[in-house]
Amino acid sequence: MTKLFKNETKIKIKTENIKTKVNWRILTKFIVVHNYFVLFKINKQGHNTHLYSSDFLIVRRTLEFQIKITFDRPYKPAEDKFAVEFVIGPSPQYSKGTYIPVFPNEERQSVWRGRIVETSDNVVTMGITTSPECIVGKYMIYIGVVTPYGIRRTRRDPSTDIYILFNPWSPADPVFLDDEEEREECVMNELGIIYHGAYDDVSERAWNYGQFEFGVLDACLFIMDKADMPLSNRGDVIKVTRVASAMLNSRDDDGVLVGNWSGDYTYGVPPTSWTGSVEILLDYAGSRGTPVCYAQCWVYAAVFNTFLRCLGIPGRVVTNFFSAHDNDGNLKMDIILDENGKLDRNRTKDSIWNYHCWNECFMARSDLPPGFGGWQVVDATPQETSDGMFRCGPASVAAVKHGQICYPFDAPFVFAEVNSDVIFYRRQKDGTLEVVKVNPTHVGRMVLTKAVLHDGRRDITDQYKFPEGSPEERRVLEKAEEFGCQREKASLPQSDVEVEIPTLDVRVGDNFDVTLQFKNHSDQRRTADVYVTGTVVYYTGVPSAEVVFKTPKVKLDPLQSKDEKVLVRGEDYMHKLVEQANIHFIATGKIKETGQIITAMKVITIHNPKLIVKVTGSPRVSEEMYVSVEFTNPFKFSLENVDLRMEGPGIMPFKRKQYSLIAPGTSIMWTETFSPRRAGSTKLIASLDCAALRQVYGETELTIQQ
């Protein structure tokens, strides 16, 4: 028997009697395939995948892409029967969507559509349109031709493999986002801004999502492989994001990142040191699934965002300021005071995170009633288990806002993060607890994300909750109670004395005064016995070390306003600071004449010095340029084992440099060369990190010309 194809092979495909299913016709004379190839340029531009660094074609669901097939003679539609076969996974089956034959005519179509775009001599250009539910991943392509001897397929050619992604440009795809600018931001933008600090003193840092960098797409697909996610589920965006929320942390499945909030990062990279997602994902995939050390909430959220955007799911990082984490599953954050109004830290177990970062992804929710699609919360930070694993979401933001927390997934947890009340209890001598104050506005004070297509902030608090105290908010809370959320219903008289702590701008090492602003609203004299505690805290609200404790007695005349200052010295807090450099001040006290309790809380963020990043050279593609990072140690002590990192999407891969010692008052300058790979606006991002000084950043913007 003569050889049928120049490249001939046989592959085992479970096609459930595919001959009868697709009605192949056996011919006496058959056409022979010489070669075939996918069209890169026309397909990549049309599918918005031109930015991916890959040796393979990448396309999006529901959009047509083209493939050229060269036969040994001109193609005759009436006589020649062939199909382009797409195969994914080790055991492809037609019924599971892992084997898809696509025919060149309308008469014999599968779940994908095919058509002849053009014929020229022996060359056929075929257009192929995938279904909106097809599996997202990497497919192999074969050409199958009917011969008198059965179906003969071309030999395996890895160069023709093709990636198929979600398509937010297509109304037929569940991830469709009908806003061009929002799509450009939440799918195509490689640069992000992570918000942190305090709601009234917001800090920000740049992050390189790097979803188009070489190897990142394979790493994202590997995450689903590592989770043993069935291929048939990988076209379902709900299932994909739920699996990813578990796999981005390593708590129960050897996922991507190891969480660490201890302050000891000896065996890994401190969370504050990372500048982007690329190194993390490539390390994880390159080690075949060894978790990367270490992460905290913003690292989980940033890497998750890379995963979402890389696969074509619109995603953004969100920061909730004063985020409740309550193990009791209610809407109460309990703070215990002794009988005199002094904070009892030993009995106060609930924690309010200064901020918490999670993700939102955009999708239709066919499993929920109309109106609950759109933005969905997903959170990879391991806080609580959901269906037995550390994961969260997708939870409909609209459902959270309207108190419809009965819908999947994990809406009650997200609802509590933005709606919990802070309850102050006074512990009596007999051990009983008496509610003395309720603060319904402290938690979920502000929810931020990056603005669309510029570096400003976007306040999206109103997407999570109605205005505090509004009739709509009251109805939402009542609705949430119907679904089991417990709230404090004690009705307390309004205290006639108030105390507040205003915001301060403090540079690390400075002495500063914390001001307590008292206001007596009554027409009688009042005396307040006050306890002021300043504690260095992790951003999760967990205390580290006390730096201030004062007990002033404040006397107020009728209707008087009065300030009481508490000095905080740099030498008292400098060597006690932990990463994020936050000091949490709580003022509590008891009014002698009425017995009423007064309280005030304020997180003061100590601001670190910044890196200076400068670029020189001609900003053109492939031209050599220089970047320098400068830093001066402003302290009276040396910085040891200093780690510097730098990267920029599309222009410079991740680079690192270490300094064993930076003496007091001395400066360093680190210079690197780079050659931009593509044109456009971008940033170079740098970080400096050591045990004595965390979270020091710098960046510079530049526009690369063709």
Side-chain angles (χ1 to χ4, degrees), residues 114-141:
R115 70 183 182 97
I116 299 297
V117 176
E118 183 184 23
T119 59
S120 177
D121 295 329
N122 297 358
V123 179
V124 172
T125 302
M126 185 167 167
I128 296 167
T129 304
T130 63
S131 70
E133 305 86 18
C134 80
I135 294 166
V136 166
K138 186 178 183 181
Y139 288 78
M140 298 174 284
I141 300 179

Side-chain angles (χ1 to χ4, degrees), residues 21 35 72 169 187 340 372 374 376 400 447 460 525:
K21 192 173 192 70
N35 59 61
D72 65 332
W169 282 264
V187 180
N340 296 315
F372 295 116
Q376 312 286 314
V400 169
V447 184
I460 57 171
R525 291 182 178 177

Side-chain angles (χ1 to χ4, degrees), residues 50-300:
H50 53 287
L51 294 179
Y52 285 88
S53 296
S54 175
D55 296 329
F56 300 94
L57 178 62
I58 301 168
V59 298
R60 300 191 187 274
R61 301 195 301 194
T62 77
L63 282 181
E64 184 180 84
F65 60 93
Q66 296 181 7
I67 179 171
K68 277 189 182 292
I69 307 166
T70 302
F71 295 104
D72 65 332
R73 60 168 173 77
Y75 168 65
K76 301 175 182 179
E79 299 179 10
D80 301 326
K81 303 302 176 185
F82 75 93
V84 181
E85 299 177 320
F86 293 82
V87 175
I88 187 169
S91 301
Q93 293 178 257
Y94 184 88
S95 62
K96 293 187 176 180
T98 53
Y99 165 76
I100 302 101
V102 184
F103 304 94
N105 54 57
E106 297 291 338
E107 297 175 2
R108 190 179 288 113
Q109 289 295 351
S110 67
V111 290
W112 297 8
R113 297 193 310 276
R115 70 183 182 97
I116 299 297
V117 176
E118 183 184 23
T119 59
S120 177
D121 295 329
N122 297 358
V123 179
V124 172
T125 302
M126 185 167 167
I128 296 167
T129 304
T130 63
S131 70
E133 305 86 18
C134 80
I135 294 166
V136 166
K138 186 178 183 181
Y139 288 78
M140 298 174 284
I141 300 179
Y142 299 89
I143 311 297
V145 177
V146 174
T147 78
Y149 312 100
I151 302 171
R152 292 302 177 96
R153 297 181 174 88
T154 49
R155 189 178 301 277
R156 169 93 171 93
D157 182 358
S159 69
T160 64
D161 289 353
I162 184 172
Y163 293 86
I164 299 178
L165 308 181
F166 292 101
N167 188 0
W169 282 264
S170 170
D173 199 302
V175 303
F176 173 60
L177 178 56
D178 190 18
D179 184 318
E180 177 57 37
E181 290 189 347
E182 196 90 64
R183 279 198 303 262
E184 190 68 24
E185 175 64 45
C186 296
V187 180
M188 302 298 288
N189 195 351
E190 295 175 272
L191 287 163
I193 296 176
I194 311 293
Y195 297 105
H196 58 99
Y199 87 96
D200 52 0
D201 186 15
V202 177
S203 299
E204 56 187 55
R205 58 167 300 179
W207 189 275
N208 174 24
Y209 296 129
Q211 67 265 35
F212 303 126
E213 295 295 328
F214 193 88
V216 170
L217 177 54
D218 284 321
C220 293
L221 297 176
F222 172 74
I223 290 171
M224 293 190 283
D225 293 339
K226 181 70 174 174
D228 293 324
M229 185 180 186
L231 282 166
S232 56
N233 290 346
R234 299 190 192 184
D236 186 330
V237 64
I238 299 172
K239 293 177 180 177
V240 168
T241 53
R242 187 149 175 79
V243 165
S245 74
M247 280 302 299
L248 265 294
N249 69 73
S250 66
R251 281 292 292 269
D252 40 28
D253 47 18
D254 286 332
V256 178
L257 284 158
V258 179
N260 187 344
W261 286 263
S262 71
D264 181 3
Y265 309 115
T266 305
Y267 300 104
V269 177
T272 49
S273 189
W274 300 111
T275 51
S277 307
V278 178
E279 181 191 3
I280 294 169
L281 288 168
L282 295 186
D283 281 356
Y284 183 70
S287 66
R288 306 309 296 168
T290 300
V292 178
C293 301
Y294 293 106
Q296 291 175 6
C297 74
W298 72 92
V299 183
Y300 285 117

